[in-house]
Amino acid sequence: MKKLKFRFSYFILAGLLGFVLQIISFFSFANQNSKITSSSLTNAKSTTVFMKFITSSIILTIATAFIIIMVVGYLIGKKKENATGFNTVTIGLITSESVIFVTTLVYIIFSCIVRTKMFNSSSKNPDILKSLLLIRMIGMMLSYIFFSLFAYEILSAKKNSRIGKVGQIMIICVNFVAIILMVVTLVSSSSNKAFSMLTELYPISSFPPYDGTIPNINGFTLAQFRRLTFVFDECSYKNIDNAQIFTIGASIALISQIIYLLTIFVNIFAFLVQLIESFDIDRDENPMEI
């Protein structure tokens, strides 16, 4: 019987699974109905509502873990020659993805522990949750940066097929746009509501100026996307002053969510090509090499 060799390909399979789970995470929280409010989430008897709210984050945590495994595989499978830049970028990508993993996991655990008082203004719980979300957003920005650099290093470090080059260039371009949007979101948080619209829950029944929003780990979900599309009509209907603060913020947040999804689909395409190429028979002598 032929002995099965552990291949570098298995790490890419883990990463592809992680990207698919990211998509599932986005669509698993699809409807934000009137039952999901700060009071329903903190009600001791409303465990079902809370679990519906937090499930997408649990899936995202698992997804991030698989992506980290894939990137570790690239670190293990790298060629020894001219690997300094590749090492640095790969470690940076592992670190940024680990920031997303840890902050999301801590948010889940902490919110479960203090659920009935997680939004209590007399405690430090809301501030802790907001701090976790800020760190997570910074981790996402760093992930976009290092994914771009990672794709560039792949182009430089190995002989790519034409379609392989296309995949890596797509990663660089899409992540570059995501970096710009994330920088704008973080830097302009005082002049528009883009940051809060990606890190806070806007109750379905709320209207401008949207008082009573709460720290929300599910900023990149279909439910959040759908909710933000209502902002334009709500601002127009209410005819409030400084409506552009909300409409510009909603525009940036919606585009950020679209680009987030696009980066996932581009990653799936590019790493699927890498997976196919990794099974090249010429690589059988070194199955753990990129």
Side-chain angles (χ1 to χ4, degrees), residues 42 116-127 130 213-215:
T42 56
T116 58
K117 296 181 180 179
M118 63 188 293
F119 307 130
N120 191 329
S121 57
S122 63
S123 69
K124 293 183 178 180
N125 294 341
D127 293 332
K130 288 179 180 178
T213 58
I214 54 178

Side-chain angles (χ1 to χ4, degrees), residues 159-226:
K159 184 178 180 180
N160 294 272
S161 64
R162 181 175 297 179
I163 193 170
K165 290 179 180 178
V166 170
Q168 300 307 319
I169 291 171
M170 287 172 65
I171 289 179
I172 294 171
C173 294
V174 173
N175 278 275
F176 180 75
V177 176
I179 293 164
I180 294 174
L181 284 169
M182 191 61 72
V183 170
V184 170
T185 298
L186 292 170
V187 172
S188 65
S189 58
S190 60
S191 59
N192 64 68
K193 294 291 184 178
F195 181 78
S196 68
M197 288 178 176
L198 291 172
T199 58
E200 294 179 14
L201 179 72
Y202 281 58
I204 199 71
S205 57
S206 64
F207 286 92
Y210 302 108
D211 295 326
T213 58
I214 54 178
N216 173 28
I217 195 69
N218 297 326
F220 290 83
T221 58
L222 183 58
Q224 189 82 345
F225 184 90
R226 286 174 169 170

Side-chain angles (χ1 to χ4, degrees), residues 254-272:
L254 288 169
I255 295 172
S256 296
Q257 291 168 320
I258 293 171
I259 293 298
Y260 169 76
L261 271 181
L262 191 56
T263 60
I264 298 172
F265 284 113
V266 167
N267 285 339
I268 289 175
F269 168 75
F271 286 102
L272 185 59

Side-chain angles (χ1 to χ4, degrees), residues 8 12 19 67-76 78 85-94 96 142-158 160 167-169 171-172 175 267 270-271 274 290:
F8 167 74
I12 305 180
F19 296 133
I67 293 170
I68 292 171
I69 290 171
M70 180 190 72
V71 183
V72 169
Y74 272 89
L75 192 63
I76 295 172
K78 69 182 183 305
F86 189 80
N87 282 348
T88 302
V89 170
T90 306
I91 292 171
L93 183 53
I94 293 171
S96 58
L142 292 174
S143 177
Y144 290 143
I145 292 171
F146 283 111
F147 255 117
S148 293
L149 295 173
F150 182 77
Y152 174 78
E153 288 293 333
I154 290 292
L155 285 173
S156 304
K158 66 185 288 288
N160 294 272
Q168 300 307 319
I169 291 171
I171 289 179
I172 294 171
N175 278 275
N267 285 339
F271 286 102
Q274 291 273 310
I290 296 174

Side-chain angles (χ1 to χ4, degrees), residues 37-50 115-117:
T37 62
S38 59
S39 58
S40 67
L41 290 173
T42 56
N43 189 318
K45 297 181 180 180
S46 60
T47 305
T48 303
V49 175
F50 179 75
R115 183 165 74 85
T116 58
K117 296 181 180 179

Side-chain angles (χ1 to χ4, degrees), residues 99-117:
V99 169
I100 298 172
F101 174 82
V102 171
T103 51
T104 308
L105 183 62
V106 171
Y107 183 101
I108 294 169
I109 295 173
F110 182 75
S111 60
C112 288
I113 293 173
V114 301
R115 183 165 74 85
T116 58
K117 296 181 180 179

